[in-house]
Amino acid sequence: MKDSPEDLIVNAILDAIAEQRLPAGTKLGEQALSDLFGCNRANVRRALASLAAQQVVELRPNRGAFVMTPSPKEARDIFQARRAIEGTIARHASGQASADDIAFLRDNILEEAKAHKSGDKPGELRASRQFHMRIAQIAGNLVLERFLSEMTMRSTLILGLYSSSGNSSCAEDEHDRIVDALEAGSTDELVRLADEHLRHLEEGLNFDEPPTAPMSLKEQLMAPRKTPPSE
């Protein structure tokens, strides 16, 4: 079934946020989006309302829609929430990973490292987020998975805004050790490593000099995507 204009807009904006092409604070003009997607402004307003409900877009009275700009406190709160959510996910995932799951995660780590080496930032970010989401899928709790999906999207905004490099900072060896613990069914070690990994991400934030975005809205939304790692 063909996607609705609202779905196309929502998916394009989420993809652009996930790949740090659409940074915090970017204005999402109704007319610009209407022109880009060949739809009417009512479609655009419904899409923006959906994104606002996911807390990645802020609707400001008499000013329009903007990509959410988390404050330093919100950034710390989100990482605290991620530690709680991913710690619970780790406990549920421990001992549940199949051989295919482990193979996928190992391949994912290689894809992330390859993207990092080649300077493919969107590919690196996609692989990093996919790593965390696959573990959530292994845990088998759809509610936690949905929470984590929102948290990882908001974390990407935070990293783009407050990390000096905009880096995902997902070190290859940290992911390797997480997969080792997952494969071994070492629950306490898996929980510890997940917490340590997220603290490392948070420690890399700098709340003094947020970067600015050089691209236009069209460039940010319509940049070509590379194919993500296959399952």
Side-chain angles (χ1 to χ4, degrees), residues 96-107 134 137-138 179 182 231:
Q96 301 301 314
S98 67
D100 286 344
D101 290 325
I102 298 300
F104 176 90
L105 291 168
R106 300 285 188 201
D107 288 343
R134 182 60 174 241
Q137 291 164 10
I138 293 167
V179 177
L182 179 66
E231 306 230 1

Side-chain angles (χ1 to χ4, degrees), residues 23-68:
T26 302
K27 183 168 184 177
L28 303 170
E30 287 186 8
Q31 189 60 55
L33 289 169
S34 177
D35 293 342
L36 281 173
F37 290 92
C39 62
N40 61 51
R41 294 178 69 161
N43 296 128
V44 173
R45 284 191 287 272
R46 285 193 289 270
L48 294 174
S50 174
L51 291 162
Q54 297 178 55
Q55 300 188 61
V56 294
V57 165
E58 180 184 7
L59 303 178
R60 301 178 188 172
N62 303 316
R63 293 189 61 194
F66 297 79
V67 177
M68 189 73 76

Side-chain angles (χ1 to χ4, degrees), residues 28 32 34 36 38-39 49 56 73 100 118 123 141 152 178 185-186 191 213-214 222:
L28 303 170
S34 177
L36 281 173
C39 62
V56 294
K73 183 182 186 307
D100 286 344
S118 67
N141 185 315
T152 55
I178 286 170
S186 303
V191 172
M222 299 304 182

Side-chain angles (χ1 to χ4, degrees), residues 23-198:
T26 302
K27 183 168 184 177
L28 303 170
E30 287 186 8
Q31 189 60 55
L33 289 169
S34 177
D35 293 342
L36 281 173
F37 290 92
C39 62
N40 61 51
R41 294 178 69 161
N43 296 128
V44 173
R45 284 191 287 272
R46 285 193 289 270
L48 294 174
S50 174
L51 291 162
Q54 297 178 55
Q55 300 188 61
V56 294
V57 165
E58 180 184 7
L59 303 178
R60 301 178 188 172
N62 303 316
R63 293 189 61 194
F66 297 79
V67 177
M68 189 73 76
T69 302
S71 68
K73 183 182 186 307
E74 287 170 329
R76 294 186 185 96
D77 288 348
I78 286 167
F79 273 95
Q80 183 181 47
R82 272 196 71 173
R83 288 196 299 274
I85 290 168
E86 294 203 53
T88 302
I89 283 172
R91 288 195 181 279
H92 284 283
S94 183
Q96 301 301 314
S98 67
D100 286 344
D101 290 325
I102 298 300
F104 176 90
L105 291 168
R106 300 285 188 201
D107 288 343
N108 183 271
I109 291 169
L110 294 177
E111 289 288 341
E112 185 178 358
K114 181 180 177 181
H116 177 75
K117 186 175 180 180
S118 67
D120 176 13
K121 187 53 161 298
E124 182 183 0
L125 288 162
R126 281 196 302 274
S128 175
R129 186 168 186 260
Q130 194 171 40
F131 179 90
H132 290 267
M133 293 308 303
R134 182 60 174 241
I135 295 176
Q137 291 164 10
I138 293 167
N141 185 315
L142 291 175
V143 176
L144 288 174
E145 188 179 335
R146 284 195 295 271
F147 284 158
L148 183 60
S149 180
E150 178 186 315
M151 290 294 104
T152 55
M153 191 69 67
R154 295 172 73 183
S155 297
T156 300
L157 283 175
I158 291 164
L159 291 166
L161 186 63
Y162 294 117
S163 172
S164 57
S165 63
N167 204 325
S168 69
S169 299
C170 287
E172 183 180 346
D173 64 330
E174 290 183 353
H175 279 179
D176 271 326
R177 285 183 282 130
I178 286 170
V179 177
D180 289 343
L182 179 66
E183 185 174 27
S186 303
T187 303
D188 290 344
E189 177 69 357
L190 180 59
V191 172
R192 185 189 69 78
L193 289 170
D195 183 85
E196 181 181 90
H197 176 51
L198 292 170

